[in-house]
Amino acid sequence: LCIDRSRITASMREIIVALHGKGIETRAIWGLINEQKPYENEETYKLEKAPYYADRILNIPSSTQITEDEIRYVTDEVKQLLRSLADGLKNFLGRESLTVSEAMRQIDGNQHKILFLTDDRQRLIGCVTDGDIRRFLLSGGAMSAPVLAAANRHPKSAKNMTEARALYHRKDYIVIPVIDGDGVIIDLFAGEQD
């Protein structure tokens, strides 16, 4: 499992402890030798990739004996934990029960001025931009109306980042949500990162 450090700042230790609390044993891919006590003052060569991977790769349970239910449990719990740690993603998600006014406040809090609307099971059901709200209000809509009245009920989405990247470049999209098999937003593609 590779941790996206642009979205998740929790340390590997914090992630491992959180998963252990859910009964999931994980470990970091490796510890760098030059960071171990006996070797910390020894000469090292220019390490470029090893620290990058050591800070991002997490081994999750694998075995020929693992059951489908165990696999499902581990994947569900890992996804839930990573979603909860990805503070940036939260800025782009809003409940379908929001009013137009509440949605506007949340849209103001994110850089792309878009809000993806989810149902009570966190599944994508729509999206709304500041432009959608402006058009809704100009047509006589009220600030107290449900945001779904101003939303696009058929937003584009992708199943993985490769698909999201292709879709993003095909049209003039602001952000492409990446959804899992249940329709839950697990990531966002907003163009290439520098």
Side-chain angles (χ1 to χ4, degrees):
L1 176 67
C2 186
I3 306 300
D4 180 354
R5 287 299 181 196
S6 68
R7 294 180 50 225
I8 298 171
T9 59
S11 72
M12 292 300 270
R13 188 83 204 124
E14 291 169 316
I15 296 169
I16 290 168
V17 168
L19 289 172
H20 184 74
K22 296 174 180 292
I24 301 170
E25 291 188 33
T26 57
R27 63 178 176 82
I29 191 168
W30 62 69
L32 298 176
I33 291 174
N34 66 306
E35 292 178 355
Q36 295 176 15
K37 277 252 188 250
Y39 307 104
E40 61 189 8
N41 295 319
E42 299 298 320
E43 180 180 354
T44 60
Y45 295 96
K46 186 175 179 183
L47 298 174
E48 294 175 5
K49 299 292 183 189
Y52 175 89
Y53 291 119
D55 186 47
R56 287 166 175 77
I57 303 295
L58 186 67
N59 289 317
I60 57 175
S62 62
S63 165
T64 57
Q65 304 299 314
I66 195 167
T67 67
E68 288 293 321
D69 287 342
E70 290 168 330
I71 292 170
R72 198 170 359 274
Y73 174 76
V74 168
T75 56
D76 288 348
E77 291 298 325
V78 168
K79 284 192 289 190
Q80 181 180 350
L81 174 65
L82 294 181
R83 270 197 299 267
S84 72
L85 293 173
D87 293 333
L89 187 59
K90 291 178 186 176
N91 293 332
F92 294 92
L93 304 180
R95 297 298 299 267
E96 64 183 320
S97 58
L98 292 175
T99 65
V100 170
S101 177
E102 292 166 333
M104 280 181 64
R105 273 193 290 281
Q106 198 164 340
I107 287 171
D108 257 3
N110 75 55
Q111 69 216 43
H112 297 294
K113 306 303 179 202
I114 190 167
L115 190 63
F116 294 99
L117 304 172
T118 60
D119 65 12
D120 59 344
R121 296 196 333 205
Q122 302 299 311
R123 295 175 300 188
L124 175 65
I125 60 166
C127 73
V128 65
T129 65
D130 56 350
D132 294 328
I133 290 176
R134 190 171 33 256
R135 285 185 290 279
F136 175 74
L137 294 173
L138 288 172
S139 70
M143 294 287 282
S144 59
V147 71
L148 282 176
N152 170 2
R153 298 294 300 266
H154 304 285
K156 295 291 183 190
S157 63
K159 300 289 184 200
N160 56 55
M161 289 303 263
T162 302
E163 185 182 322
R165 184 176 290 108
L167 186 58
Y168 178 88
H169 289 298
R170 201 172 310 138
K171 293 250 186 172
D172 190 24
Y173 293 113
I174 301 169
V175 178
I176 301 294
V178 178
I179 59 173
D180 67 12
D182 297 321
V184 174
I185 299 175
I186 56 172
D187 211 340
L188 299 172
F189 183 82
E192 306 299 334
Q193 303 296 318
D194 293 332

